[in-house]
Amino acid sequence: MKEKLRIHGGARLEGEVTASGGKNAALAILPAALLADSPSTIENIPDINDVRVILEMLRWLGAGVEFSNNTLVVDPRTIDKYNPPYELAGRMRASYYLAPVLLGIFGRAEVPLPGGCDIGARPIDQTLKGMRTLGAEVNTTGGVLSVSAPSLEGADIFLDMPSVGATVNSMLTAVSAGGSTNIHNAAKEPHIVDLANFLSSMGASVKGAGTDVIRIRGGRPLHGTNYTVVPDQIETGTLMIAAAATGGDVIINGAIPTHMEALSAKLLEMGVNVTTEDDCIHVRSNGVFRAVNVKTQAYPGFPTDLQQPLTALLTVARGTSMVNETIFEARFRFLDELRKMGADVNVVEAKTAIINGVEKLYGARVSATDLRAGAAMVIAALMADGTTDIDGIGYILRGYENFDGKLRSLGAMIERIEVTDDEF
Ligand code: EPZ
């Protein structure tokens, strides 16, 4: 059954909400759990479509998988396959994280190549470089990432850019490689640190995560563990922006303020009141915003995944804002949807958009063109005068647990509506 979101704009968001566990942390940690010689219990896993797909893959590979109330018990001892099928693995990008894990277990793996998303080409040359540097034979013909290695040896990996995926895959390969591996120019995102902490809790020797160089002494036996995934940095940021956009007063519990510093600083620059305690963030706004310039960068810079939600807010800021999307080459497609709501936005060249603030947005029928674009459309709809229908909410459900329910609990007038065939 296809659904859409119907949002009546204008409600101030007020109250408290709790951030779910990190999608991008969970998508790296779940494959890593297969490297243990005994079961793991992992808590605070978001119940989202991407997680459900990767759990289906773990079951298909033969692992024991029990998932309820955001807690997973995974038993890797019964895994007996190294080649997840396209029907499963082709449905999401992070499935290629299984390649280094299955390589470590079986000495070989065949995993469908990750799909390109609507935000750019998304090559994986740095992942291939990392695995080859540690001794793997890597082949990508036929849309399948085939890797094999009778044995893996630690070495120095120099990434051309701080790629999250390449850092994850290099880490997951290195823990199975004998000797020391140093990953240089590593990504520093919170989910990289969370993966490092998870691997360490399994008995791996991983140091330096969160800095430019991650040092791993591999080849050690890894055991099952009990672990709790970090809160989702991007969901937290999306809720912060939604609170600001509606002139609201919202406390986001379970958040880690240091993960949010780039966004908090930008919201403060716009005139939003952001205060933090140990594990919560309080956002208050009078609904009036200064225009600002935003440049996305790898962590700890402003996250590319929050560029689209913040751009939605900038459409009603006072003045002209410039958004420079340096990470992905096609992350402005959703501007066409914002224009349908009255936004005055222009892409001046592939990676730069100019946003001229308008008095208000108006409800319209729009579509989500990718996961974070969908979140941006929700934020625009919460601010708009009138009613907005958002199609393509499958994207949103991939990455946000109970997003509409959380917003409704804060006072948003938002509902899921079944899409009849003759609509959209
Ligand atoms: C991860 O994607 C996230 N996905 C993305 O989140 C996020 O936008 C991105 O990191 C950046 O933070 C997951 O964690 C599952 P990259 P990833 O490798 O690993 C280029 C979301 O909304 N590049 O850091 O694919 C690449 O083209 C998603 O949750 C190469 O050129 O991102 C891009 O321009 C969207 N060669 C840039 O680097 C490579 O081998 C960053 O990519 C790898 C990357």
Side-chain angles (χ1 to χ4, degrees):
M1 174 186 66
K2 270 185 78 175
E3 289 181 301
K4 63 184 177 183
L5 285 176
R6 174 161 291 168
I7 298 173
H8 305 287
R12 288 185 73 239
L13 298 189
E14 290 182 303
E16 299 198 24
V17 67
T18 300
S20 295
K23 162 176 96 77
N24 294 342
L27 294 179
I29 284 170
L30 268 50
L34 300 185
L35 289 166
D37 57 14
S38 51
S40 293
T41 298
I42 307 168
E43 297 182 349
N44 203 33
I45 293 180
D47 186 3
I48 53 178
N49 289 4
D50 270 11
V51 164
R52 289 194 210 113
V53 169
I54 209 150
L55 291 180
E56 267 182 70
M57 272 185 269
L58 301 190
R59 286 192 190 92
W60 188 91
L61 293 167
V65 171
E66 287 165 41
F67 182 55
S68 65
N69 298 325
N70 301 103
T71 297
L72 169 70
V73 178
V74 54
D75 184 347
R77 292 174 295 189
T78 46
I79 290 179
D80 57 5
K81 303 182 194 73
Y82 57 81
N83 56 345
Y86 182 80
E87 300 72 51
L88 280 178
R91 283 160 53 187
M92 56 167 292
R93 176 167 187 77
S95 44
Y96 75 135
Y97 291 162
L98 284 167
V101 165
L102 297 169
L103 176 67
I105 298 168
F106 296 105
R108 62 184 303 189
E110 288 171 10
V111 178
L113 280 175
C117 187
D118 312 62
I119 57 178
R122 307 189 75 179
I124 62 164
D125 54 294
Q126 299 298 302
T127 279
L128 307 182
K129 172 181 181 176
M131 299 180 85
R132 286 185 174 122
T133 303
L134 299 185
E137 290 283 320
V138 178
N139 185 310
T140 58
T141 48
V144 176
L145 175 54
S146 302
V147 292
S148 62
S151 72
L152 293 165
E153 283 309 312
D156 280 288
I157 298 171
F158 294 89
L159 297 179
D160 295 351
M161 83 283 296
S163 153
V164 167
T167 302
V168 167
N169 284 318
S170 296
M171 292 167 73
L172 294 175
T173 307
V175 290
S176 299
S180 291
T181 295
N182 302 315
I183 305 167
H184 301 269
N185 198 13
K188 303 194 267 289
E189 273 72 5
H191 24 296
I192 296 292
V193 176
D194 212 31
L195 173 62
N197 291 338
F198 178 72
L199 290 169
S200 300
S201 77
M202 289 166 73
S205 165
V206 185
K207 305 217 184 320
T211 74
D212 291 317
V213 184
I214 299 176
R215 302 181 188 286
I216 294 175
R217 286 195 58 75
R220 303 159 69 126
L222 301 179
H223 52 74
T225 184
N226 294 329
Y227 195 76
T228 300
V229 173
V230 287
D232 193 305
Q233 170 205 18
I234 306 304
E235 184 203 30
T236 300
T238 306
L239 292 168
M240 289 168 67
I241 296 168
T246 58
D249 181 341
V250 173
I251 292 176
I252 299 149
N253 293 310
I256 298 180
T258 50
H259 291 170
M260 308 313 304
E261 284 174 352
L263 173 64
S264 298
K266 199 50 74 177
L267 289 175
L268 286 165
E269 203 182 321
M270 293 175 69
V272 176
N273 185 322
V274 180
T275 51
T276 64
E277 312 266 329
D278 286 350
D279 67 346
C280 72
I281 297 178
H282 192 172
V283 177
R284 280 163 287 188
S285 159
N286 61 6
V288 178
F289 314 104
R290 287 190 286 271
V292 292
N293 294 334
V294 182
K295 179 174 186 175
T296 64
Q297 291 167 308
Y299 193 88
F302 190 90
T304 175
D305 293 345
L306 289 175
Q307 177 267 105
Q308 294 158 298
L310 190 75
T311 295
L313 178 58
L314 290 172
T315 62
V316 296
R318 295 199 170 168
T320 297
S321 303
M322 182 168 74
V323 177
N324 186 358
E325 170 55 72
T326 72
I327 304 294
F328 289 108
E329 65 275 21
R331 206 160 197 175
F332 286 132
R333 289 190 184 139
F334 72 113
L335 297 187
D336 294 338
E337 300 303 306
L338 287 176
R339 277 194 207 95
K340 293 177 185 173
M341 301 177 73
D344 177 357
V345 292
N346 295 291
V347 178
V348 291
E349 54 92 23
K351 293 196 166 186
T352 304
I354 299 294
I355 294 106
N356 299 308
V358 294
E359 191 59 35
K360 63 169 72 171
L361 297 180
Y362 296 89
R365 291 177 63 165
V366 294
S367 289
T369 54
D370 64 70
L371 166 57
R372 307 302 175 184
M377 299 320 295
V378 170
I379 285 164
L382 290 171
M383 297 191 289
D385 187 356
T387 299
T388 301
D389 282 2
I390 304 174
D391 185 32
I393 67 166
Y395 283 114
I396 300 174
L397 303 180
R398 272 190 50 208
Y400 290 96
E401 179 177 349
N402 187 27
F403 194 46
D404 55 312
K406 285 175 177 155
L407 292 172
R408 201 162 29 246
S409 74
L410 294 169
M413 295 181 282
I414 179 172
E415 52 187 326
R416 285 193 199 187
I417 301 221
E418 193 176 330
V419 179
T420 56
D421 291 345
D422 60 356
E423 275 192 280
F424 273 106

